Amino acid sequence: MALEAGNRGVRMRSMRWVATAFVVLQAWGGHAGAQVEQVGAGTLWLAPKGKDKPPPAAPLRTEALQRQAAPTSQWYSTLIFNPKPDPIYAQPLTFRTTPAGFEMALPVKQVVPTERQDVEIHYPHRDALVFAPAAFEPGAARLAKVSDWAIDIEMARGEDRLLATVAHGSPYAYFQLSRGDVRVTLPAPGERVADADPRVLVLRVGGRRYALFGPTGVRWESASPTQWLGRLPAGSGYFSAAGLPDDKPETLALLARHAYAFVQDTRVAWRYDRAAAKVESTFTATARVMEGADHGPLLGLYPHHWHDNASVAGRLGPAYDTVRGPLKLLAAPSFKVERSWGGFVPHWPRLPDGPRLAEFNDHFKRDLRRRRDLIPARENGDDWRVSVYWQGKGLTRVTQLAAIAEQQGDPDARDQLLRVARDRMEWWFGGQGKRSYFHLDKRLGTVVAYPDEFFSVEQMNDHHFHYGYWIRAAAEIALRDPAWAAPERWGGMVDKLVADIATAERGRADFPYLRNFDAYEGHSWAVGIGGAGEYGGLGNNQESSSEAVNAWAALVLWGEVTGRSALRDLGIYLMTTEVEAINHYWFDLHRIVFAPEYKNVETSMVFGGKYAHNTWWTDEPRQIHGINLLPIAAFSTYLGKDPAFIRRNLDAMKVESEAYVKRGRFPPNPPPADVWQDIFAKYLALADPAAALAQWNPRGSVEDGDTPSHTLHWMLSLAAMGTPDFSVRADTPLYQVFRKPDGSRTYLAFNAGQAPITVKFTDGRELVVAPGALGRAP
């Protein structure tokens, strides 16, 4: 997670191409005999140094899952760390395990006023039904099985077992009992709604409707106004339970038809179609039919699944009102989503001659002179920016300047800057720092970095945020120094960071599958332990969606530069999908997610059960808006998808800032009044470069991952080329098209390979690009 200088506070936020040799070394610094793992030229410590604490244990898993790396940073991760876990938000239903049994609820919207004079939208886990075995007391909950968007939760005691299966988008929870009957406890007196099928119990409870679907021969008996018993016949210890989106008979009939197809496995398969510049994701659920005909599962599609998706048009049924907007039911075992790959290039070309080129050159000379100060000093006294997050932001500054120097025809400056970046990365990767080092925890299945900041070790937070900066910086070095990136040198250490956040193989023992990424929600989660009560019981969350995109862009570059198309394609899938989710759930570009009571233009914090316009460390509006923009680099053109939204967003920030000043509630160490003004100038330039250049203050605030040189280069480039044009695609991964108001276009493509390529754009333009070069037309 991130926070900028002067505003420090708490904010939550696959490959195996690694040449690894395990050795036991006589260690230095009071750690004699400590074990380390050599990874190429780098070193991973196998135990924390000194008084550093290890990552948390995740004991609440079955024996089979204990043999796999722990799935941290997921929507259900609270289950494996906390004996009293938070609710889990599956959408449309919520669940919670308690000593009394398994809770299930259908959340309803709550509009919560704030001291910021706006509102948050909550869909909390409240007024739950509780399912429990009548013949035995359920044991402590343990995670028993994981697939791409479904999980099994076991509550066993000896030979007795209650097993619940829940899934994203599913209107059901599926239950299996080892013996006996089921007891259902209601939060308030419930009214039974008549149904012709004796297997079905429909209840109206506090304005919400639920349906329970038992096996043939079940008897539903009322024990009290708030308790029912399901008498399950011998050998048929199963039932499903659903929340109903409405009171229509046809909706109940639909859910009854599919209630006995118990989801067993879920999987998302992705494919990057290079020729068409498309990403296709196929979602497949496998079900076991418990009785009757095989009608298949019933899936709930989120807005980013069904919006602008011709393959499901006309096939969708009833919709649930959820924190993610309308969740629509599809009676099918699978569906596909196809989105365009918008592309990006590692860097932009040389600036043309112009009236501000001399100004740019002056800024660049100043930034070059202070190149060693652009990365916070390593282990420098009480400087709190020694953590891997701040170091990564500094590496971004330096490598972006190196790319600019190269394009401007200054190889000496480029080499000086790259040397600074290489030296710092090698020092960290070498493992010889007293406070700053990487630790491989084989028990949990992770690489963590010390010193711990933002609870990246203690709570396993923000790994994709932190490591994304490092992977992208490494890719920039590798573009110019391939030998440095070889696995027997420093590439092996980079690949460990890649594996920590983006292992694409399921069920491994060393790292979990896509640690932070939620394949069904389409975005990442930041909190490693999944929530622990201190977040108000509203599930996991992610604040800085833009830093997640930074990580996936880094995978694209690292994979392409090192010649691994599978990793590149994984990055393309993750980036494309996360951007689509951001446009729905953070920015609501299509106006179908945010509640009418929610007046903010965007949301800066997305939780399992709420969205809010705030940050973890401040309610100052500029930082609230900026945290989902930074870092702004060549991959950030996705932010220019809707120029009108950019203007609305910045106009709203201005109004909010004026109100914030009038409230007068400033922190003890307030930020500068123009905090992150460079970020907002770059953001505005995606819609109006001239206005951005007029707005930017060369002597104003500079965000910790940026420089005046890069900011001015960004704006002058857009002024020369135009704003991003997403109507034209290309048959190569690294490309970008820009369009000026007069309709003229600039075409860019980067060739990371060893031979020339001819890039074909969908408007008929072709561009020949030399090896290792950025091509431009005209």
Side-chain angles (χ1 to χ4, degrees), residues 49-128:
K49 297 184 181 183
K51 296 181 180 179
D52 287 340
K53 295 180 179 179
L60 301 175
R61 296 175 283 163
T62 60
E63 184 178 346
L65 278 192
Q66 292 277 5
R67 292 192 289 269
Q68 300 177 16
T72 69
S73 303
Q74 285 296 326
W75 54 283
Y76 52 81
S77 293
T78 182
L79 292 167
I80 66 175
F81 290 102
N82 192 347
K84 296 180 180 180
D86 272 10
I88 56 176
Y89 289 78
Q91 313 303 348
L93 301 174
T94 59
F95 305 97
R96 188 173 195 165
T97 60
T98 73
F102 193 89
E103 295 183 356
M104 182 186 88
L106 182 61
V108 296
K109 180 176 66 179
Q110 292 185 355
V111 180
V112 181
T114 78
E115 63 179 6
R116 300 182 303 277
Q117 302 173 2
D118 63 6
V119 300
E120 296 180 355
I121 302 299
H122 293 202
Y123 283 73
H125 177 76
R126 299 274 171 81
D127 302 324

Side-chain angles (χ1 to χ4, degrees), residues 248-313:
K248 297 177 182 178
E250 57 267 32
T251 298
L252 176 60
L254 176 68
L255 268 73
R257 179 179 175 85
H258 297 273
Y260 297 95
F262 281 31
V263 170
Q264 302 290 295
D265 186 58
T266 56
R267 182 162 290 222
V268 183
W270 65 86
R271 182 177 69 90
Y272 165 54
D273 183 340
R274 179 171 179 153
K278 298 278 189 178
V279 176
E280 181 184 86
S281 303
T282 302
F283 297 78
T284 303
T286 304
R288 173 190 174 194
V289 178
M290 306 303 286
E291 68 175 55
D294 184 0
H295 298 296
L298 192 60
L299 307 178
L301 274 59
Y302 287 50
H304 74 280
H305 298 139
W306 58 257
H307 177 259
D308 195 25
N309 185 353
S311 71
V312 299

